[in-house]
Amino acid sequence: MQQDDYITRTAQPEPRYMRRDPVVHSPSDSRWNGPLGEVALSNFERDGFLWFEGFFSQERMAPFFEELEDMSRDEDLLKKDGVVRDPKSGAVRSVFDMHRISSRFAELTRDPRILGMVRQLLGGDVYIHQSRINDKYGFQGAGFDWHSDFETWHAEDGMPRMRAISASIMLTDNNEFNGPLMLIPGSHHQFVPCQGATPDDNWKSSLKAQEAGVPSQKNLQDLVNRGGIAAPKGPAGSLLLFECNVLHASNSNMSPWPRSNLFFVYNSVENALVEPFAADNPRPSFLANRDTPEPLQMHDPYIDTPVRRSA
Ligand code: 6CS
Ligand code: FE
């Protein structure tokens, strides 16, 4: 049995403690070998996230919108397990496994600018642990309770260490009204054990409303007292990189405007999944990639795609 540095889903409340993994994983002698400079690296270390407003142009995002529109009309696709419906309205809430459904999205996971930063932060080769789109339609998209992704991935998927990063690309504008992601800066430094055993097949309900793996209000209060709450806002094409253990949540969408965000979760190839640490059975592969990790190679659309020139 593998040693467990992050015991969670306990019968009794347990105190939080400092994480037992680095935040920036590149060894100190090669730390600067990557696109992120000293200021960005120390901001990531301090806050647990980096925000890039307008990272991709609208022009670059347009084909992704078109493909999503096609997908929303694909009845067979919408019947798949990886499509999660909103508990109240029945509207699509999440589509998992985007990088296996679509080659266009798969190529985006290999974008050289994103991959360069993620490899630098995680100290080497990475693969996709999970990918998804979270949609919140105008007037009806439900929110997500406060949680650490790592807590779930460790307990239910067997991710051993904190060595993963989510890249979230805004597919629509995110503003203060349409339920943007909220994060507690600095919360990633602490591991907050959560009380309560994981129910069987928890994922069938947790993706609609999370009950196991929710930190106590006392812990949330303490961490917000220290770090406050941030909610990065910006136009479609903006990018958020956030560390796997930063606490985050989002409100429901009360505005008429949709909010649609794409998430790619990058995990270090040295942090491949083992048996779940606090669940009886591993979750399905659309939630947690259990294949032998294959290092992602960079894909540059401007170089790799043959350019058709008119005579
Ligand atoms: O259970 C999961 O893996 C997912 N659930 C949430 C609420 N956030 C991260 C992750 O996609
Ligand atoms: Fe999350």
Side-chain angles (χ1 to χ4, degrees), residues 36-56:
L36 294 170
E38 192 173 342
V39 173
L41 287 172
S42 48
N43 283 346
F44 184 82
E45 183 128 22
R46 182 191 64 196
D47 297 335
F49 63 90
L50 288 173
W51 171 243
F52 302 89
E53 196 167 319
F55 187 80
F56 290 121

Side-chain angles (χ1 to χ4, degrees), residues 132 134 144-145 147-149 153 166 181 210 242 246 248-249 263:
R132 67 187 189 279
N134 286 351
F144 290 82
D145 270 323
H147 64 279
S148 145
D149 292 339
W153 298 335
S166 290
L181 197 72
Q210 188 170 348
F242 66 103
V246 72
H248 58 282
F263 294 78

